[in-house]
Amino acid sequence: MKDIATIDARSAQDDPSASRPILLLGAGAPEFREYLLRQIARVRPVVLVDQTPPKWARPYLAAQAAVDLRDAEAAEAFLMSAAVQLGAVGVTTYMEHFVELAARLTHQLGLPGNSPAAAAACRDKATTRRLLAEHGAAGGILDLASTRSEAAAIGFLYPEHSGYIERLDVHGAIHDQLWLERLVWTRDVGTQVTAPPRASIDDRIAHWVVTGSTAADCAKLRALVADHLSVRVSHPVHTTSCTR
């Protein structure tokens, strides 16, 4: 494993056919992110930039750098320099907290990626909902007139309060309904989750997709699925500074 400072990118820059790396912002937890990093590493050498690059990611990396990505200004300056030095072909992230930083970098470097405005809209849920409504997809309900169903809707479940998941259950035979395209638990019992407004995509407990003849039908079916989900999250334990 190399540190980013030890990489000599001159050969990649001089030889256009050389395999130039991609910069990855943040590694995340292996149980949720390893398969993504594995897929990226199959295509390009990966240079991971993270506050504390984890050991689990090392088999997939060409190099790594310890940088506090929460300090956006300092991180942006470092990454701009590193991208030029390494001849990077892209900057990407699968971590929600860093999508805006990645968008600014690709925009400034002239690399493929989302615009800064698009990334900011995705991070601001109120803006996301407004833009979806303006483009005829309010509430996650989409018009699929050319497919076998005329409409579809997606539902998301986040915790009502922060804590540890104690129970996940589905009541009734909801899984057997033909209009239910998908119902996936995205967190496991025993994992810690954070409630909105501080929640991120990693705190999403479940998502589901329903289809129907109209958008109104889909909205009703989406709500019906939510009514059949049972989730219990423990309340956080409040302690004083004297508690051990």
Side-chain angles (χ1 to χ4, degrees), residues 3-169:
D3 181 84
I4 194 171
T6 68
I7 298 178
D8 184 354
R10 287 174 297 180
S11 59
Q13 293 172 331
D14 294 340
D15 181 4
S17 66
S19 188
R20 295 158 57 192
I22 188 168
L23 300 184
L24 175 65
L25 311 187
E31 58 266 33
F32 300 109
R33 307 302 190 183
E34 185 173 8
Y35 78 98
L36 293 169
L37 178 52
R38 184 189 306 118
Q39 292 176 16
I40 297 172
R42 288 172 179 170
V43 179
R44 285 281 178 180
V46 178
V47 176
L48 173 64
V49 181
D50 206 344
Q51 182 176 12
T52 305
K55 292 182 179 179
W56 70 261
R58 291 179 181 175
Y60 308 108
L61 305 180
Q64 65 185 28
V67 176
D68 186 359
L69 296 174
R70 296 170 299 180
D71 185 347
E73 184 175 346
E76 189 169 330
F78 173 85
L79 288 163
M80 285 290 294
S81 175
V84 173
Q85 173 197 346
L86 301 176
V89 296
V91 180
T92 190
T93 185
Y94 42 66
M95 305 295 289
E96 183 180 4
H97 300 296
F98 306 136
V99 294
E100 291 184 83
L101 175 59
R104 290 196 301 271
L105 288 165
T106 55
H107 179 72
Q108 294 179 57
L109 292 165
L111 297 173
N114 294 318
S115 69
C122 290
R123 285 284 288 145
D124 186 326
K125 305 310 178 190
T127 301
T128 300
R129 288 191 291 270
R130 176 178 58 80
L131 291 174
L132 286 172
E134 291 176 357
H135 290 80
I141 302 175
L142 308 177
D143 181 13
L144 303 176
S146 61
T147 67
R148 62 187 175 89
S149 297
E150 294 182 354
I154 184 169
F156 300 109
L157 179 65
Y158 284 88
E160 295 182 356
H161 58 264
S162 301
Y164 288 88
I165 299 175
E166 296 182 340
R167 179 184 178 184
L168 299 173
D169 198 8

Side-chain angles (χ1 to χ4, degrees), residues 158-159 161-165 187-188 191-195 202-205 233:
Y158 284 88
H161 58 264
S162 301
Y164 288 88
I165 299 175
R187 299 292 277 173
D188 298 320
T191 56
Q192 187 175 12
V193 289
T194 301
D202 292 328
D203 299 298
R204 184 183 297 165
I205 296 176
V233 177

